[in-house]
Amino acid sequence: MTKLALSHDILMTVEKPARYIGNEVNMTVKNIDDVDIRICMCFPDVYEVGMSHLGIAILYDMFNKREDTYCERVYSPWPDLHKIMKERNIPLFSLETQSPVKDFDFLGMTLQYEMCYTNILQILDLAGIPFYAKDRTEDDPIVMCGGPCTYNVEPVADFFDLVYIGEGEISYDVLLPLYKEYKALGKSKEEFLREASHIEGIYIPSLYDVLYNEDGTVKSIEPKYEDIPRRVKKTIVLDLSNTYYPDAPLVPFMRPINDRVTLEIQRGCIRGCRFCQAGMIYRPNRERSLEFLKDYAIRMLKNTGHEEITLSSLSSSDYSKLPELVDFLIKYCDERHINISLPSLRIDAFALDVMNKVQDIKKSSLTFAPEAGTQLMRDRINKGLTVDDILSGAGEAFRGGWNKVKLYFMLGQPFETDEDVLGIPELSELIANAYYEIPKDQRNGRVNINASASFFVPKPFTPFQWAPMDTEDEFRRKAYLVNDTMAKMHNHRSLSFQYHDEKTTVIEGILARGDRKLAKALVSVYENGGFFDAWTEYFDYQKWLDAFKEHDIDIDFYTVRERDLDEVFPWDVIDAGVDKEFLKKEYIKAKEGVVTPNCREQCNACGCLKLWRGGICLENKN
Amino acid sequence: MLADALNYGEGESVLKTRIKYAKTGPLQYIGHLDMLRSFQKIMRRAEVDIAYSNGFSPHQISSFAAPLGIGITSEGEYMDAEFNSISSPRDMIDRINAATNTPYLKVLGFRELKEGEKKAMAAVAAARYQISLRDDKYNDIFLKMKDGLDAFLNQDEIRIVKKTKKSEIELDIRPLIYECEFSYKTEHYEAFEIADHILDGKKLPDKDSVPTFSMFLSSGSENNLKPEAFLAELASFTSIEIDPIMLAIHRIDMYKKDENGGLTSL
Ligand code: SF4
Ligand code: SF4
């Protein structure tokens, strides 16, 4: 038995010892003496969250298929263990071999949301690795990251030696042999990183100088040497039916937040909602084949023993073979007592029929994401969902027995007026009316309409990247306005409203469009005891305000400032496929309230087609 | 019971079985509820014909004997499961063991329940444990406690105060102690070693002998005596302080009352 890194007394003291012992079902076991490359993959959040992440599962499987590589895992120790590790000087360890993270060749983190940035520092701190890449030696692992936040990695760029931009399936098969070669030749880390910068999707932050204007905006981002690319192009998998996918993912003993088989049916989205970063950075839309998905569904269910399977993708209703896939799954799963957990689907006859088959109507709710209260606002954000769509979908569902509705909105999107804000209670009221118009004997008690609003954070690589964000006060005012108006509605007893924490939103807003000047502040937050900021119980706004003050960082500069259309952005060093010109046009169209058709209806020349020949771009013959 | 019966598929007759297993090594830190969930997945991976309840979230019909505390290992755990069909016990064991996907959880026995036999949960009446030390630097403590063992057991009654959620009750635990002895015993084996030994007659590996208290205690829903509670009493009787964290507690087996009033393995 591999000796556990934590002693019995520690394991008996911490809240959930199962987080730290590894040994999960389907864990890869290798001898570290038999491999050339050791990679420790990290999801910088607690085990149950990190173990639910598909991206790491894909990479874990892919890396471990290589004979020369052993990929292990680590997650953020919960604050109870964190404290013990600090007190007793216990170095952060991997789950598989329970050995120090510092001894690995690579430490790779996935950055899924900005609020995990302080956890990056926790991981480095506990591992005994210097925060800043520039302070590391040849003995430290190469610290790298990937994931959606890397599309503007600048606030944390100084903490990473290497950043992988795009889908991980592509460039590691070039990067790892290069590493092996350089290691065997005894070459330095610096030499390796310099060479790695030539590989598609590999961004080495230390090889660029960021120059600023006097007003604090970026003047230019200059590669330090001639051989370093000016912009780093993201990598994508063109044929998603011929690539890595784990057929035997890890099954933890303790319950992860996603305790099921996750079948990723497609990547990218055809829709182009203007607030949505995922819709832009994962372009173009590419589907996996039905055969691939059937095959993997069966293998994954067999190899994990999970009692539930779910489909994962953006806008799953747009997957062209969805009816066939769902049909197959219903048949297969029904015979084996396996549940199907549906992603949220556009409510129509098909969706209702499927929901009826796999869910208990009494317990399940209808989900709509209008994202804005009025048609004008929905046109501005390019959300092609009309009141008619919602009312006809909901009406049909109500007659079919449903009586719970969830509505998702965003407050604070560009060009929003109070009229748009008031559209939220009004739309909720309309849906309630549609319910009560149904004769009493044909409906199912009282309807329950739950509207929730998050506050909008403008994100890089979206048409709204130039837009000002609302202030904290403005967010609160709008939320109260919705809340108060809700209470005055005729059907108010059937309506409820919830909204997100505006303080977290402010921090997200700073980090999302931040630059390298923020790194110092992040270090201060962490050094003052701030981490696990994605958890409301640990998020401490004051620590952040103090840190920004300490480093003379003007919050408004990052959040409420409207950017000039010609401004150089910190993330301009990344080429995500969509042109800045296209995004600009979309921003102007938003102002005018003009919609853009989706990729299936028409190609809008976003820029992807110039770079890649695949997916939806090729289906479009125009 | 009636509610259970109503949950079965139409008119199918189910086979009630009892499965004995060992859980050791790192899995000692996996709690009881997580074990329950994990067994459901193991049964699916094993593709055995286990019975399910009906409804939107069908679940396997199974239940466990006395839950094992976190930090305790065991080679005498039991679960009851219902099957629509089964093959030979050995084949069932092999299929399940191939599906546990870990050396630290292995099935050791599989049998059909007799007509009218009580569920494991209700039948548990006693349990056997071995307690050794997690570090030999504590050996002196056990050696001192050993010297007081006879006097301790020779008492007519051993009164302890048992705290429940609502009240404190005084309890005589002497009748709940069936046996206790001290000896040097080999450290306990891992689940796969025990399975290989029991099922295939493989030789157990050589291990060190360590100071060990072996005990046979009343267990179950009434008159449950926890081994660490018993040992704490013995320690205080011998004026020694022990911390449960020093102890490696290992459950050897669980027992039910048989027709003759004796105790036999579940
Ligand atoms: S439908 Fe809109 S919000 Fe949803 S993923 Fe696509 S672009 Fe984003
Ligand atoms: S190039 Fe055209 S079809 Fe392809 S993603 Fe862009 S807009 Fe859509």
Side-chain angles (χ1 to χ4, degrees), chain A residues 269-273 275-280 314-315 318 371 383:
Chain A
C269 176
I270 59 170
R271 304 242 152 216
C273 304
F275 56 83
C276 177
Q277 189 188 38
M280 294 294 164
L314 301 171
S315 196
D318 292 327
E371 305 293 0
K383 185 95 219 177

Side-chain angles (χ1 to χ4, degrees), chain A residues 283-285 582 599 602-609 616-617 620:
Chain A
R283 283 184 175 216
N285 165 259
F582 167 78
C599 291
Q602 174 194 311
C603 172
N604 302 291
C606 72
C608 288
L609 190 56
I616 190 79
C617 313
N620 263 311

Side-chain angles (χ1 to χ4, degrees), chain A residues 1 8-9 11-12 21 23 25-26 253-255 259 302-307 336-339 359, chain B residues 25-27 29-30 34 37-38 40-41 44-45 47 52 56-58 70-71 100-101 104 134 245:
Chain A
M1 153 176 174
H8 178 69
D9 66 316
L11 288 164
M12 295 301 284
I21 59 171
N23 281 288
V25 169
N26 296 331
F253 285 99
M254 74 176 285
R255 183 177 231 132
D259 188 19
K302 278 196 178 169
N303 291 334
T304 58
H306 279 311
E307 42 282 284
R336 290 166 180 80
H337 310 280
I338 294 164
N339 301 322
Q359 299 171 345
Chain B
L27 298 199
Y29 301 106
I30 306 295
D34 286 331
R37 281 182 338 101
S38 298
Q40 301 240 333
K41 296 188 201 288
R44 286 175 186 277
R45 292 198 294 271
E47 298 187 323
Y52 284 86
F56 267 104
S57 331
I70 288 188
T100 63
N101 281 26
Y104 305 111
R134 295 231 170 222
I245 264 159

